[in-house]
Amino acid sequence: MTAAKTLRTLLAQDKCHVMPCCFDALSAKLIAQEGYDLTFMSGFAASASRIGAPDLGLMSYGEVVDQARNIATAIDIPLIGDGDTGYGNAMNVRRTVTGFAQAGCASVMIEDQLAPKRCGHTPGKAVVPRQEAYDRIKAAVDARDALREDGGDILILARTDARHEHGLSEAIERAAVFAELGADILFVEAPKSIAEMQDICSNLPGPKMANIVEGGETPDLPNAALHDIGYSIAAYPLSLMAAAMQAMVTSLRAMRADQRPGLMDFGELRSRIGFDDYYAASQAYASSKRD
């Protein structure tokens, strides 16, 4: 089963899938090893990890799709890639969708922010006019359909950030048109209350995604509550990045004081990275066996 088909199967379940977001191949491997069904390459976290800079449109299409390819190659669960605004006009969106599919992504997110985009829970967001937003999603859907004709596949996750600048009604209306155009998953970013989350899910068809940023604008609800509201996916874009950064800072400060912080056992570390699997496979080749 392809990654896209696996994702469709997951979305057909009566369940809100907890989706920790990754930022590189190692974080994605840990997510898969811990038994999660899917993951998302967080643009915020990937930008921080790859170039050490904020998610403000600084990473290029080539850098982002390369990061997605490395992640998808390392795991066997569906990966949703962050395609941002599509990196240009509608024709660029088509190329972006095709590139993410070729990289191994099960889905790609395309949003209606004005380029350069910004993190959905930070100041200064603005969205393009409706027609340009619709053209982006139409182009993404057209690219998906062309891929299917050639034996490929990918799902389109359509995102709107219109809530911030134009209110919830505009955001819901845009997302409804995205669905009419053929988007597979809908994502209305940064609702500010449970009531707004309920309005989104009750007024829009198909699978919806919630984006839970600890300390962000959207209520951080238990998974059961998100399912009852109507969400199919609960994304946690910064949880692993924040945990990793906190652990690294704590370790660095402990080392400065000549202390040894609590660390993962060296044997488990090697195993999770893949040393044990490598050594087991290498036994089939005399020239590659360990001494």
Side-chain angles (χ1 to χ4, degrees):
M1 186 179 292
T2 66
K5 287 182 180 179
T6 300
L7 180 55
R8 286 194 178 89
T9 299
L10 293 174
L11 293 174
Q13 298 173 355
D14 182 18
K15 179 178 180 180
C16 181
H17 295 275
V18 176
M19 186 173 70
C21 297
C22 61
F23 47 89
D24 60 11
L26 179 58
S27 58
K29 285 187 74 169
L30 295 174
I31 291 167
Q33 288 170 1
E34 288 301 307
Y36 289 94
D37 292 324
L38 72 169
T39 187
F40 181 101
M41 187 187 80
S42 163
F44 186 117
S47 182
S49 173
R50 184 177 177 109
I51 64 172
D55 182 26
L56 296 173
L58 298 174
M59 278 218 296
S60 68
Y61 162 77
E63 290 173 307
V64 174
V65 79
D66 179 66
Q67 193 83 346
R69 182 180 297 106
N70 289 339
I71 293 169
T73 301
I75 58 176
D76 58 4
I77 59 174
L79 169 67
I80 301 176
D82 187 351
D84 289 335
T85 62
Y87 305 98
N89 64 17
M91 295 305 295
N92 293 93
V93 172
R94 289 182 63 120
R95 179 174 184 247
T96 296
V97 171
T98 301
F100 274 80
Q102 292 170 341
C105 291
S107 177
V108 58
M109 183 177 76
I110 300 295
E111 62 191 67
D112 64 356
Q113 277 200 48
L114 188 69
K117 61 77 54 81
R118 296 174 179 269
C119 166
H121 292 253
T122 56
K125 288 192 306 178
V127 293
V128 296
R130 285 186 183 184
Q131 191 55 57
E132 185 173 351
Y134 300 156
D135 280 348
R136 286 181 185 174
I137 302 306
K138 183 178 186 305
V141 170
D142 287 346
R144 178 201 66 195
D145 294 346
L147 283 164
R148 288 177 180 172
E149 291 177 2
D150 292 334
D153 199 8
I154 194 168
L155 280 72
I156 304 303
L157 169 56
R159 163 178 166 171
T160 178
D161 285 78
R163 165 67 185 88
H164 175 76
E165 191 178 12
H166 301 290
L168 187 64
S169 295
E170 172 69 12
I172 290 175
E173 185 167 347
R174 287 187 180 216
V177 175
F178 293 166
E180 292 173 4
L181 291 169
D184 301 286
I185 310 166
L186 300 178
F187 172 22
V188 176
E189 172 65 303
K192 298 180 182 295
S193 67
I194 294 174
E196 289 194 1
M197 298 168 82
Q198 292 170 332
D199 283 347
I200 289 166
C201 289
S202 62
N203 285 288
L204 293 173
K208 274 82 64 177
M209 187 179 88
N211 193 40
I212 310 299
V213 176
E214 293 85 354
E217 296 183 336
T218 299
D220 187 354
L221 303 177
N223 186 257
L226 292 171
H227 173 262
D228 290 343
I229 289 172
Y231 287 105
S232 297
I233 302 174
Y236 295 85
L238 299 183
S239 301
L240 293 191
M241 169 65 73
M245 289 178 66
Q246 183 61 65
M248 286 190 282
V249 169
T250 298
S251 296
L252 290 167
R253 290 173 178 172
M255 292 168 67
R256 182 185 294 118
D258 202 23
Q259 300 170 357
R260 298 296 177 263
L263 301 173
M264 179 179 286
D265 176 77
F266 186 42
E268 181 180 357
L269 184 147
R270 295 196 315 269
S271 177
R272 285 184 176 275
I273 291 173
F275 280 87
D276 294 347
D277 291 339
Y278 176 93
Y279 292 141
S282 71
Q283 295 303 305
Y285 313 101
S287 62
S288 297
K289 290 181 180 178
R290 297 172 64 195
D291 293 334

